[in-house]
Structures are given as structure tokens and as C-alpha cells.
């Protein structure tokens, strides 16, 4: 008997119609089962009650090659034609194959990273690979994750790629299958495609659970996946949802603490709902009409939250194991876990709820979440920490979505909602400008001031609630707090710009004295060069210590002036 050999990715198979004409691709799960797209089976005419009795599965990575007939496993053909939903089928081979292949489909974040797919375009019956970039969601509706072309001119996904396994090329899941291709998209020069991630596949086909690995995206609320229905008609919960959506849907990074205190009407249902709008598994249970009909800024893009976990009753080790397991990271302890999470690329988006209800909240904040919060902004990480009570005062964070009313000294109801809105709008614009300034210069200087915590999101929340019962004295408190916050932002702006100006002045002074020295003593003066080089390095090496740079620039200038004065 001939020996059986495999080439790379032995699970790759081609799906043909009864006559042997290629229709698409598939993933060989074990010796009896193949995963592919429902529309590939329909194209072959072998869907339930179709015109063909079976499809043919052909190996492309085995030697000797083999082919088997296969049929849809009852109840395992899911297809909603004309939508970005479903489109998966599980096939059973009529006879098992003897190639000892067993494939694991991994539940992984789909917000970014490079992937590879092998398909069977008409000109390549034995398959050809193409690379793509995970791009999260292709829109507000549907369950398909977007794939973007990396290099123009490379082979791209077309009809024969449907059903192909999507292989991660980056990170700890490199080489793992994380979903299947379901469709291509071509519009002029635009090239894109869609995939069904493993969590969506598993929701449609629970029978493939034994072939899956990894942690779920959403372990924040009760299992089930439905969106809580007590959120969008409540002004406070709606405003909390909208503010967090705006943060997570943009290019913002940092730590946001959110209030889930039921005593002030917030609760946690709004956070659970928002996370589920991004969860590939939960999307299966939510209709497109529900997603597209929701108010603005209340639905996140598919896959935009990488991990969500309920810390209530959990130990530090349990929280760490979920986070590292979700991203496939190896970490011996909390410090290593923080380092690996902060350095992950693309930066992660994490939600940890009920932090103050963990088995040991102090230890969780001290050893894991606190250090991660301190590094979030500088590393590009987006970290959401939920508290049923008030968070510790010393917890590093950039935004607080505190649902409690804003209280001011002897507030009166003489401020209108329009006046309060104007003040908050001015604050928001100035905070955004301060964030851009800090992004440009904040990391360049040793001891640079950090921007004050963003107050506009919380004030918008309270404004949305207070204006429903206008006149309301809280509107005055909101206006006054906006004015106070604007003063804090202005002080930060002045302090950081002063560093920028000092740096520019020192650079100008150093260059001026270099030019003067060259005019009087030539470019090759060794002593002056020895003084100029460290001063130039001090002005260029990040983080720049302006005090040290000033001393070195002065030493160089003093020596130049002394030599000139001495003639």
C-alpha cells in the first residue's frame, strides 16, 4: 500500500459538483467531515432537496490524491441568500479518508492582522494562495468579517475561494484556521472579501464544537447572545452607550472607567448590549433590522471588541488566564501578561466588567488591571473597566463615564440646556485639540504634563439626562464643570507648548552657535565638535530631557563665545 504524505495545510480540499467541475473550497475537519459554504453546495446542486445527490471532495494536499462523495449533514446547511449572514454547510463523506487529519478552528480576535487563503480560481484547479488583512466589520449589519487586499496586483479572492479556510499569519495563532471565506467583492479598483469567523460558524453549527479551540469574545454577561431590551429608551443608558461607542469606534486609545451602579439607574445591561453588537457569536441572534434601526452611535462594528470578561467573583489568575488565552499569549505571571498585552499589535480593545466585585479587587487592580491602565494610552490599547461602585481615586484612567449626577455649589435652574450644550461642545473641541497635541509631543519630553482626564463625555451623558426635565439645576452644574475643565485643558496646553517652544529655542541656539563657530574656526574644530555632538543628541533622543539638553547647549555656546571673544 502506498504511503500517505501531506503537503502544507493538509486540510485543504476542493469541492466539485457530481461531474467533477470545481465549485469552491473546503476545510477537512477529520476523516469524515468537511466545512464549506452553503452557496458552494447550492452551486453544485446538492443542497437539501437540490437536483444533485452529492458533491465530490477532492484532496489537493495529499499524496496519493483521493476523492470522495459527500452530502450535507441534516440540519447543517445555513444560507440566507442576498444577505451577509450565514452561508455555511457541514458535509459528511460517504467513505472516510485515511489521512489522519484533524483540524482545529480557533476563536480569535478579527479586528486586525494578516491572513492567507487558498482557493481554486478557474485557471488554477490545484489552488493558489492570496494574502489579505483582517479589517473587522464591513458595515453595521450582518455577521461577516471584512478582508482587504494587501498589495494591488496580487491574486485576489474570487468565486473559487468560497469555503476556503482563513489562516492567521501573525501573532500567537500563526498557522491556525480562524474561519472560512464566504464571498468576494470587486468594485472598480476596490478589492475586498468577507469571512465567517469561527465563533459565528460555531453558533450556527454547534456540532462542530469538538473541532474548535480558544476563548469566546464575550464572557461579560449571561450566555444567550440576545441584546438586552431595557437600554435604548432610557436617556441615561442610551447616553452611556453612545459615549462609549464614540470612544471605541474612533482612533481613541486609553482607559475608560464606566459606571454600572444600578442605584443611579445605570446598571450593566447597556454595557452587555453594546459588547454584544460587536460579538461575532451574538450577531447571529440579532436581526439586521434591529442593528440598522438602532439610534446612532449605539452599534459597534463586528469584531471591534477583542475580549470582554466579567470579573465578578473571579480571581486575578482567572482574569489573567482569560485575557492571555483569548490572545494566545504565553505569560508566566501578571507582569508578563501586562507587558505582552500592551505590546500586542494591532492594539487590543478589552472590556472587564464588575472589577470591584472580583474575588480580590485590590489585588486585581494592583497586579493586573492597574498596570495595564497606566500603559493603555501610550501603547494604543483601549481598556474599558466597569465598576458597580466608584473606582479607586488613584486608578489611572483617561475618561470617566460616571452615571451619577453632576453636583455644583448651590446650583440654580437658570442655565438652559442650549447654554450647557455650548459649554460642553467648546470643552470637547479643546479636549480633542489637547489630545492631538499630546499625541504629537507628549511622548517626546521627559516629565511632560499629561492631558487632564477628558470630562466632555461624562458631561454629555448628564446633559442628555438633565435636559429631559428642564429646567433643571444640574444644567448649571454641567455648565460650570465644563468651564472648570476648559481651564484645566488650557493650563495643560500652555505647559506642553512651553516645552515645545523651549525645545525649538534650544535647537535654534545650538545651530546659531554651530554656524558662528564654523565661520570663525572652520567645520573641523575638534573641541567644539566634542561639545556640539552631545548637545545635538540630547535634543533628538526621546524622551528629551530639556534640563540636561539646556546645560549641554549652554556649554557649547559658552565655549564658542569665549573663543570668539579671545580672538
Amino acid at each position: 500500500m502506498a504511503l500517505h504524505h501531506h503537503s502544507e495545510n493538509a486540510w485543504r480540499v476542493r469541492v466539485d459538483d457530481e461531474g467533477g467541475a470545481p465549485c469552491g473550497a473546503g476545510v477537512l475537519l477529520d476523516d469524515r467531515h468537511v466545512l464549506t459554504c452553503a452557496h458552494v453546495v447550492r452551486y453544485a446542486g446538492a443542497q437539501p432537496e437540490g437536483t444533485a445527490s452529492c458533491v465530490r471532495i477532492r484532496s489537493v494536499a495529499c499524496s496519493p490524491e483521493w476523492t470522495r462523495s459527500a452530502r450535507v449533514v441534516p440540519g447543517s446547511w445555513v444560507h440566507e441568500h442576498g444577505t451577509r449572514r450565514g452561508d455555511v454547510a457541514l458535509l459528511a463523506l460517504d467513505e472516510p479518508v485515511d489521512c489522519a487529519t484533524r483540524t482545529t478552528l480557533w476563536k480569535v480576535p478579527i479586528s486586525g492582522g494578516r491572513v492567507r487563503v487558498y482557493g481554486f480560481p478557474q485557471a488554477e484547479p490545484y489552488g493558489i494562495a492570496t494574502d489579505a488583512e483582517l479589517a473587522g466589520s464591513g458595515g453595521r449589519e450582518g455577521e461577516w468579517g471584512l478582508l482587504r487586499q494587501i498589495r494591488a496586483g496580487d491574486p485576489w479572492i474570487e468565486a473559487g475561494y468560497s469555503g476556503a479556510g482563513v489562516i492567521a499569519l501573525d501573532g500567537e495563532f500563526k498557522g491556525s484556521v480562524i474561519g472560512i471565506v464566504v464571498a468576494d467583492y470587486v468594485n472598480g479598483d476596490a478589492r475586498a472579501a468577507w469571512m465567517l469567523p469561527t465563533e459565528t460558524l460555531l453558533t450556527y453549527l454547534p456540532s462542530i464544537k469538538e473541532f474548535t479551540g480558544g476563548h469566546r469574545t464575550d464572557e461579560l454577561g449571561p450566555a444567550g447572545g440576545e441584546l438586552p431590551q431595557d437600554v435604548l429608551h432610557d436617556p441615561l443608558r442610551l447616553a452611556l452607550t453612545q459615549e462609549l461607542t464614540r470612544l471605541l469606534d474612533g482612533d481613541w486609545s486609553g482607559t475608560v472607567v464606566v459606571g454600572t451602579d444600578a442605584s443611579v439607574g445605570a446598571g450593566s445591561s447597556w454595557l452587555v448590549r453594546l459588547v454584544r453588537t460587536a460579538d461575532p457569536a451574538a450577531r447571529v441572534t440579532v436581526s439586521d433590522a434591529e442593528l440598522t434601526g438602532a439610534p446612532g452611535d449605539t452599534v459597534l462594528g463586528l469584531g471591534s471588541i477583542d475580549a470582554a470578561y466579567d470579573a465578578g467573583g473571579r480571581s486575578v489568575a482567572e482574569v489573567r488566564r482569560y485575557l492571555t488565552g483569548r490572545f494566545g499569549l504565553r505569560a508566566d505571571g501578571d507582569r508578563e501578561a501586562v507587558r505582552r498585552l500592551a505590546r500586542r499589535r494591532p492594539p487590543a480593545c478589552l472590556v472587564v466588567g464588575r472589577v470591584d466585585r472580583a474575588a480580590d479587587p485590590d489585588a486585581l487592580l494592583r497586579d493586573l488591571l492597574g498596570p495595564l491602565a497606566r500603559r493603555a494610552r501610550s501603547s494604543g490599547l483601549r481598556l474599558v473597566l466597569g465598576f458597580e461602585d466608584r473606582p479607586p481615586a488613584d486608578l489611572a484612567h483617561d475618561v470617566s463615564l460616571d452615571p451619577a449626577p453632576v453636583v455644583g455649589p448651590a446650583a440654580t435652574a437658570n442655565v438652559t440646556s442650549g447654554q450647557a450644550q455650548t459649554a460642553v461642545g467648546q470643552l470637547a473641541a479643546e479636549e480633542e485639540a489637547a489630545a492631538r497635541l499630546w499625541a504629537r509631543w507628549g511622548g517626546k519630553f521627559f516629565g511632560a504634563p499629561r492631558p487632564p482626564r477628558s470630562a466632555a463625555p461624562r458631561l454629555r451623558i448628564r446633559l442628555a439626562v438633565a435636559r429631559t426635565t428642564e429646567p433643571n439645576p444640574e444644567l448649571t452644574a454641567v455648565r460650570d464643570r465644563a468651564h472648570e475643565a476648559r481651564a484645566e485643558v488650557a493650563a495643560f496646553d500652555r505647559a506642553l507648548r512651553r516645552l515645545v517652544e523651549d525645545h525649538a529655542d534650544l535647537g535654534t541656539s545650538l545651530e546659531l552657535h554651530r554656524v558662528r563657530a564654523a565661520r570663525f574656526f572652520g567645520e573641523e574644530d575638534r573641541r567644539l565638535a566634542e561639545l556640539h555632538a552631545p548637545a545635538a543628541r540630547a535634543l533628538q533622543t526621546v524622551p528629551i530631557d530639556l534640563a540636561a539638553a539646556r546645560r549641554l547647549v549652554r556649554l557649547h555656546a559658552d565655549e564658542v563665545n569665549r573663543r570668539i571673544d579671545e580672538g
Side-chain angles (χ1 to χ4, degrees), residues 238-469:
L238 173 60
L240 284 163
T241 299
Q242 291 175 322
E243 288 303 325
L244 188 54
T245 300
R246 291 175 188 133
L247 289 172
L248 300 185
D249 251 359
D251 57 3
W252 175 87
S253 64
T255 299
V256 53
V257 294
V258 300
T260 58
D261 184 359
S263 69
V264 296
S268 60
S269 60
W270 70 272
L271 184 58
V272 170
R273 178 200 167 278
L274 185 59
V275 167
R276 286 184 176 172
T277 64
D279 176 22
R283 279 288 184 103
V284 175
T285 68
V286 185
S287 70
D288 286 344
E290 187 173 356
L291 293 171
T292 58
D297 294 323
T298 60
V299 174
L300 288 169
L302 180 72
S304 56
I305 290 178
D306 296 311
Y309 191 71
D310 181 0
R314 305 291 187 176
S315 67
V316 179
E318 287 176 302
V319 178
R320 182 184 69 243
R321 280 197 294 269
Y322 168 74
L323 292 176
T324 55
R326 174 65 182 156
F327 295 101
L329 304 174
R330 298 179 180 87
D332 294 332
D334 298 328
R335 181 176 298 181
E336 178 66 9
V338 169
R339 187 183 71 84
R340 297 293 299 275
L341 287 166
R343 294 179 62 181
R344 180 185 181 270
R345 292 294 176 267
C349 179
L350 312 177
V351 178
V352 182
R354 297 205 301 161
V355 174
D356 51 345
R357 296 297 186 264
D360 188 343
D362 292 340
L364 180 59
L365 287 169
R366 181 187 65 243
D367 299 335
L368 184 62
L369 297 182
L372 200 57
R374 288 193 292 273
R375 298 181 61 170
R377 187 165 191 163
S378 60
S379 64
L381 183 75
R382 291 173 293 166
L383 178 63
V384 181
L385 300 179
F387 292 83
E388 293 194 355
D389 297 326
R390 288 189 176 275
D394 60 350
L395 174 63
H397 63 278
D398 304 283
V399 180
S400 171
L401 300 186
D402 182 355
V406 179
V407 178
T412 59
N414 60 356
V415 171
T416 67
S417 60
Q419 291 170 324
Q421 182 172 347
T422 297
V424 174
Q426 292 169 336
L427 170 62
E430 291 165 10
E431 286 181 341
E432 290 172 5
R436 291 192 296 270
L437 181 67
W438 190 87
R440 174 70 178 86
W441 292 104
K444 293 185 181 296
F445 298 114
F446 178 78
R450 288 182 63 87
R453 292 169 180 168
S454 180
R458 188 215 172 184
L459 294 180
R460 279 195 295 261
I461 290 169
R462 292 311 311 174
L463 173 60
V465 177
R467 73 194 319 166
T468 63
T469 56

Side-chain angles (χ1 to χ4, degrees), residues 171-183:
E172 298 295 336
F173 292 105
K174 182 177 181 180
S176 301
V177 181
I178 63 172
I180 62 171
V181 173
V182 288

